[in-house]
Amino acid sequence: MQKEELRKQQALEYHSKGRPGKIEVVPTKEAKTQRDLSLAYSPGVAAPCLEIAANPEDVYKYTAKGNLVGVISNGTAVLGLGNIGPEAGKPVMEGKGVLFKIFADIDVFDIKRNRSGKICTDSAGFRAHFWWY
């Protein structure tokens, strides 16, 4: 088997073995009991919601927003592969998430857009969900 074909097979196996992909979402708080779940969601979640409503900066105290970024792509310019579309670009987006986590301990949601256009202006709507600069 040629070196290039071997590398391709290794890459495909790496991405598909076990749980497919390279990222997952893991809770940062205990979620084992009914009490835990009632604090994580309803009715317990109302308390931090109301604190944030009264003081919007508390979003960084009670949520992951301060350590969460969105990596957004429509798949039109993917690592020298060109316009391969948002689905085909998803492995690259997950890979960026891995780099953020490994090198900066920043959590990432990769977001694919199914249309072309001005990503910067369209993505401004996500500002409420992610750390933004």
Side-chain angles (χ1 to χ4, degrees):
M1 187 177 295
Q2 291 184 348
K3 190 174 185 178
E4 188 175 310
E5 183 63 26
L6 178 61
R7 179 172 293 142
K8 176 183 174 184
Q9 290 303 316
Q10 289 173 338
L12 293 173
E13 181 182 328
Y14 174 83
H15 286 83
S16 65
K17 71 180 178 183
R19 176 184 271 179
K22 298 180 288 288
I23 58 175
E24 68 178 338
V25 176
V26 178
T28 60
K29 308 292 183 272
E30 290 289 322
K32 296 179 180 177
T33 67
Q34 181 178 353
R35 177 186 173 277
D36 294 341
L37 296 175
S38 72
L39 291 172
Y41 191 56
S42 186
V45 74
C49 289
L50 293 172
E51 292 295 313
I52 294 166
N55 182 11
E57 284 298 309
D58 280 353
V59 70
Y60 298 101
K61 181 177 180 181
Y62 296 114
T63 75
K65 182 176 180 177
N67 195 52
L68 183 64
V69 298
V71 179
I72 303 167
S73 176
N74 60 7
T76 58
V78 179
L79 290 181
L81 300 173
N83 185 353
I84 60 174
E87 295 292 339
K90 186 163 175 52
V92 174
M93 306 311 287
E94 288 185 1
K96 289 178 183 185
V98 169
L99 295 177
F100 272 99
K101 188 64 177 177
I102 299 283
F103 293 111
D105 196 26
I106 294 173
D107 297 316
V108 170
F109 280 123
D110 64 290
I111 300 168
K112 58 184 177 52
R113 295 179 66 247
N114 289 323
R115 62 188 185 97
S116 59
K118 296 180 179 177
I119 288 181
C120 292
T121 54
D122 290 351
S123 300
F126 293 114
R127 186 175 299 230
H129 301 283
F130 302 104
W131 180 76
W132 197 274
Y133 72 98

